[in-house]
Amino acid sequence: MENNNIASLTSSKLSPDVKHVTQLKNDSTKKYLLYMFMTSAIICVFVVAGDSIMQHIQQFWSTSGEFWQSVWLLVYETLDGDPWKIGVYGTLVVITVPYWILASLLLFVDVTGRPSFIVQYKVQPEKNSPVCLVKLRKAILTVLFNQTVLNLCLIPVVYPVFIWRGVNLTPELPSFHWAVIHLAAFVLIEEIGFYYSHRLLHHPMLYKHVHKVHHEWTAPICIISLYSHPVEHIVSNMLPPLLGPLLMGSHMAIAWLWFVMALYSTLLAHSGYHLPFLPSNEAHDFHHQTFMNNFGVLGLLDHLHGTDKLFVASKAYQRHFTSLSLTPVLHQVPDDPKIKPQ
């Protein structure tokens, strides 16, 4: 009884802020435990029904694989099967054209405010409405410089290293299993490379002279994904995604697929729109608002190093999920009502 009274007394003396932080920590722990449970459940399903699942996947891959194989052969023959043309010219096209396809669509929404159906999903509704055209012009010119001058210098330098490592440039595509293994490895390798390079860029000396350019936009839009100082573009934008295919000695077609996935991931992370059925961009948007926390892509290293504490204590963390509803997340998890001063 005495212990219960002491516990009750101690609890009653806790300030509301301490209780709030404690609750947030408990919620965070529960969330990660839920992720672990879901991962374990998926593994169990694969163990129990693995053969059946893989059989269906293989049937799908064998059917669609013929299509992708024919597409790759067309590209291969168009470039004369020349390793240099594939590795340099092909890669430059792959990391440029898909980027501008999605970026152009999102920029249209940013500039025109249409369609309104998309605008309602803005993470920071009061910002960039409309977007400043002077700042936008500067951003576009910087991105074009990074994609042309810097990429034209970097890719030919990286190409011999790829060849030395044994990157596959043959006309035959790898198996489905091999492609999945390599893509999974790419995700983890990029997380490591991006987290530590990004966190390094937040060192006061580097931030002041390099990374501050990227953080001129506290409410990012898609084009800001590659809006950066030349040093940052090479060290943090380009090298982390390149490391995976290089270390794994992957087939160039799988590397190209990965480059497009990485580009679309960063475009959506900087888009400023938390769109339904797509991965949440709340974490990186929060990073641009506060200049701290959330240095990685997946959030794994942020959780490990404790660089997500402010984020976990924020409203943005409660909105950090893939929405399966057409209702904007801002409406699903509204801001706390402001208390009027008496």
Side-chain angles (χ1 to χ4, degrees), residues 118 136 169 171 289 292 313:
I118 300 296
L136 178 60
L169 292 165
Q289 291 183 57
M292 58 187 71

Side-chain angles (χ1 to χ4, degrees), residues 244 261 315:
M261 290 171 61
K315 181 67 70 170

Side-chain angles (χ1 to χ4, degrees), residues 7-138:
S8 177
L9 180 62
T10 303
S11 176
S12 65
K13 290 183 178 181
L14 288 175
S15 68
D17 290 341
V18 173
K19 290 181 179 179
H20 179 62
V21 171
T22 303
Q23 181 62 41
L24 288 172
K25 289 181 178 179
N26 291 336
D27 291 344
S28 177
T29 302
K30 290 177 182 178
K31 188 172 183 178
Y32 281 99
L33 287 174
L34 178 61
Y35 288 158
M36 292 175 63
F37 172 77
M38 292 176 64
T39 302
S40 301
I42 292 172
I43 292 174
C44 289
V45 170
F46 269 95
V47 170
V48 174
D51 292 339
S52 176
I53 293 173
M54 290 309 300
Q55 184 178 2
H56 288 296
I57 292 176
Q58 287 173 345
Q59 289 176 355
F60 170 78
W61 183 254
S62 62
T63 303
S64 62
E66 295 178 1
F67 168 74
W68 295 116
Q69 180 66 63
S70 64
V71 171
W72 172 248
L73 282 175
L74 177 62
V75 173
Y76 188 86
E77 292 170 358
T78 301
L79 296 174
D80 303 322
D82 186 326
W84 173 265
K85 291 181 180 178
I86 296 171
V88 177
Y89 301 153
T91 299
L92 287 170
V93 170
V94 165
I95 63 177
T96 304
V97 175
Y99 176 89
W100 282 105
I101 291 175
L102 179 57
S104 298
L105 295 174
L106 291 170
L107 280 174
F108 176 83
V109 180
D110 290 325
V111 173
T112 66
R114 299 175 182 175
S116 57
F117 173 77
I118 300 296
V119 176
Q120 66 176 328
Y121 297 110
K122 283 179 71 72
V123 178
Q124 301 183 57
E126 71 284 358
K127 301 291 182 66
N128 298 322
S129 300
V131 66
C132 176
L133 296 182
V134 175
K135 288 180 64 179
L136 178 60
R137 180 177 179 273
K138 178 186 175 184

Side-chain angles (χ1 to χ4, degrees), residues 89-267:
Y89 301 153
T91 299
L92 287 170
V93 170
V94 165
I95 63 177
T96 304
V97 175
Y99 176 89
W100 282 105
I101 291 175
L102 179 57
S104 298
L105 295 174
L106 291 170
L107 280 174
F108 176 83
V109 180
D110 290 325
V111 173
T112 66
R114 299 175 182 175
S116 57
F117 173 77
I118 300 296
V119 176
Q120 66 176 328
Y121 297 110
K122 283 179 71 72
V123 178
Q124 301 183 57
E126 71 284 358
K127 301 291 182 66
N128 298 322
S129 300
V131 66
C132 176
L133 296 182
V134 175
K135 288 180 64 179
L136 178 60
R137 180 177 179 273
K138 178 186 175 184
I140 291 175
L141 291 176
T142 301
V143 170
L144 288 173
F145 174 82
N146 290 343
Q147 288 185 315
T148 53
V149 177
L150 296 184
N151 287 359
L152 279 170
C153 294
L154 179 64
I155 298 303
V157 171
V158 172
Y159 169 76
V161 184
F162 269 55
I163 296 301
W164 168 80
R165 177 60 186 87
V167 169
N168 195 336
L169 292 165
T170 61
E172 183 178 354
L173 289 176
S175 67
F176 171 77
H177 302 77
W178 202 238
V180 171
I181 291 172
H182 278 227
L183 288 172
F186 297 165
V187 171
L188 295 177
I189 293 170
E190 187 205 24
E191 172 72 2
I192 296 170
F194 183 75
Y195 177 87
Y196 291 109
S197 64
H198 187 192
R199 192 168 180 184
L200 179 65
L201 288 170
H202 275 264
H203 184 279
M205 289 298 294
L206 289 175
Y207 182 85
K208 179 180 179 180
H209 298 290
V210 177
H211 194 46
K212 188 176 180 180
V213 174
H214 183 68
H215 274 283
E216 289 174 5
W217 292 72
T218 56
I221 60 175
C222 64
I223 199 72
I224 305 308
S225 56
L226 296 184
Y227 174 66
S228 60
H229 186 281
V231 171
E232 177 178 352
H233 181 70
I234 293 174
V235 172
S236 195
N237 291 346
M238 294 297 293
L239 289 184
L242 287 169
L243 281 175
L246 177 61
L247 294 176
M248 298 293 290
S250 307
H251 193 285
M252 186 56 73
I254 303 303
W256 285 359
L257 173 61
W258 162 243
F259 295 155
V260 174
M261 290 171 61
L263 283 170
Y264 279 11
S265 173
T266 189
L267 276 167

